[in-house]
Amino acid sequence: MDERLAFNGKAGKLDGRVFSKLKLLCRPVKARQDNAQQGNETTLVSQDDVPFYNTRLVLRTVEKLWTGDLSEEEIEKNLEEIILHYAIVPQVAYYRNKQTVSFVAPYFGGGTLDEVIQKERDKTTEIETEIPSDRKPEIALERPQTLEWKDKLRILYQICRAIEYLHQPPKCERKPVSHGNICMQNVLLDKQKNARLLFLTPKSVEGGVGEEQFQEDKNKDVHAFKEITHDVLKQSRKKTDVLARIQRAVTMTDIKKELKSGLRVEGTNWWTPSQDDGKQKSKCEICCVNKPEKTFKKLTHDRLCGSKIQMCVGCLWNWQYNPVKCHTCDQDKIRSPVGDCWGAIIIAGTDEKQEITKRFEDDIEKLKDRVITKATLMGVRNNVVTVKKSNTTYGEQLEKAFNNVDTPEITTIVLVYSGHHGDGKFQLDTYPLKDSELEMKINGLKHVTKVIVFLDCCYPKKFNLGDKAVLQINAVTSQQKAICGQA
């Protein structure tokens, strides 16, 4: 992208100076996004677009969310690893002190679902309190609608999918969670009448409480959503039997099927994308602050997907924790072009001096931690194999390493070597690994189509890997000697 990302997949930590400046741009208002009252300073809204984020922001301050003997590192990780989904309000940054934590989120201008439905209630009350003789018979049967039936179904469907994503995340590193505070005040609408669920911290996490308690918490979420559904649909003229079927459903997945069926009958799209009209620029439909990356529309969707989700680099970077789901085709996840289906083999060479061998091992560990496995860079997590001097021979380690990555699930391999090299051989203790042998091992990975190679050694040769796409990064040219100095 040609501009700095305002969000990189995890909520950014703000220091006191930046947070104070941000608060100066905001003021307490009767926030249309929750049930805060006029003058309640726990919710602040910026009056204009905030620089860097290029959108209006909402600040919500709550009492500290951490309990027990959590370390500073654990607290920061819990605050950074927010849950991202197109129908969940994104928390793009946070600030915390000893007493409170403040979350920063984009502002959505459509108000809360409670406010919209309350307008219907108020208008209904006005009609019902009129003198009957003054009303026309047809008016007496009418109930005012601030949202059309199809819009109500679509909003409920979007929130249903958000709750389902909390309860049953796609296969990833995040555990299922319960919400604990599902209500119409926590459903926010944008200008296109798309809905997002406000979610700051889970009620419970699978494994963090007993299985029976966690299931009870999820059941409470389902019950709360059914109450919302009843309140939203009860005075609609076109109820059909959707409401009754939803009340009989047991899980959010069951409810989703009923709502999806209703939307198909109406011929209604499940999401209304924002349009770049020249004044309001398009935003990523997940974080709502970054500019969407147009090339990502080419990533795998259902072949019938009619409105592919607009997403940014930042929201794809943290794919292990938040697999991207499309609002239109509901793919289990949109595969990330970086890190997803990747594997890595990291090799440390040897030297007669143990301290130099240790430097080689330190080099590959630093590269692994800071580049290869880092979530916001390569993000290779589950298929990283380290090969270094041990009780197991290099030959046995290499054989096992290449067997581990030779699977249909891995299509890109990252190969790293730090150590001595010369005469077309890598120095691995008593095992001289020839360039041609390493090339043969890589070419033998039949499912791998892309290879990224880092060679930190003397006289590195350009690999010949046939029809595989190769990105090779060498410390020196093939005619130069590398220097192994102090780290």
Side-chain angles (χ1 to χ4, degrees), residues 225-472:
F225 182 76
K226 287 182 177 181
E227 289 185 343
I228 290 178
T229 302
H230 179 266
D231 290 344
V232 170
L233 300 182
K234 66 179 180 180
Q235 67 177 26
S236 296
R237 293 185 294 274
K238 193 176 180 181
K239 288 182 186 178
T240 65
D241 59 345
V242 172
L243 186 54
R245 294 201 306 269
I246 289 175
Q247 296 303 319
R248 291 194 297 267
V250 176
T251 67
M252 296 308 302
T253 301
D254 296 333
I255 295 174
K256 182 182 75 171
K257 291 177 182 177
E258 299 298 341
L259 289 168
K260 182 186 288 188
S261 176
L263 287 170
R264 283 175 173 163
V265 169
E266 295 296 319
T268 301
N269 292 331
W270 300 338
W271 189 264
T272 304
S274 60
Q275 300 296 324
D276 188 341
D277 58 7
K279 297 178 181 178
Q280 191 70 32
K281 298 295 183 182
S282 295
K283 300 282 187 180
C284 168
E285 291 177 313
I286 301 173
C287 69
C288 304
V289 293
N290 287 335
K291 174 182 170 185
E293 183 58 56
K294 294 182 179 179
T295 58
F296 287 168
K297 288 191 175 183
K298 297 179 181 178
L299 300 180
T300 305
H301 289 251
D302 185 278
R303 62 186 182 87
L304 298 177
C305 183
S307 180
K308 295 181 178 180
I309 189 169
Q310 298 186 82
M311 53 187 159
C312 68
V313 176
C315 288
L316 267 180
W317 261 343
N318 200 21
W319 61 269
Q320 300 96 338
Y321 190 76
N322 287 304
V324 173
K325 288 181 72 72
C326 177
H327 47 51
T328 299
C329 64
D330 201 24
Q331 285 281 88
D332 188 50
K333 70 172 184 177
I334 303 301
R335 181 172 294 176
S336 171
V338 178
D340 205 353
C341 294
W342 286 30
I345 299 175
I346 309 174
I347 308 169
T350 58
D351 186 88
E352 294 177 356
K353 297 180 179 180
Q354 178 57 33
E355 63 267 25
I356 295 181
T357 297
K358 184 64 166 59
R359 287 181 201 168
F360 295 151
E361 293 174 353
D362 289 345
D363 285 346
I364 64 170
E365 285 299 320
K366 288 177 182 176
L367 191 61
K368 181 178 77 171
D369 293 341
R370 298 177 184 179
V371 177
I372 294 172
T373 61
K374 192 173 180 64
T376 52
L377 289 176
M378 286 190 174
V380 186
R381 293 286 187 89
N382 300 323
N383 306 298
V384 181
V385 184
T386 299
V387 177
K388 62 183 180 180
K389 189 171 182 178
S390 70
N391 294 329
T392 306
T393 67
Y394 271 97
E396 292 173 312
Q397 290 185 67
L398 286 169
E399 187 70 22
K400 184 177 180 180
F402 277 91
N403 285 337
N404 284 345
V405 298
D406 189 16
T407 69
E409 289 74 32
I410 298 178
T411 57
T412 299
I413 188 77
V414 181
L415 180 73
V416 177
Y417 175 76
S418 177
H420 294 307
H421 178 267
D423 297 327
K425 300 174 184 177
F426 298 93
Q427 184 175 323
L428 305 177
D429 200 22
T430 59
Y431 180 82
L433 177 63
K434 295 181 180 180
D435 291 357
S436 57
E437 183 182 352
L438 185 54
E439 288 176 345
M440 184 173 66
K441 287 181 179 295
I442 299 172
N443 280 322
L445 300 172
K446 52 184 176 294
H447 303 288
V448 170
T449 59
K450 301 182 183 70
V451 182
I452 301 173
V453 182
F454 294 91
L455 296 183
D456 188 5
C457 60
C458 304
Y459 315 119
K461 173 193 171 184
K462 180 181 178 182
F463 279 0
N464 179 13
L465 300 179
D467 59 355
K468 298 185 190 299
V470 183
L471 172 62
Q472 184 169 335

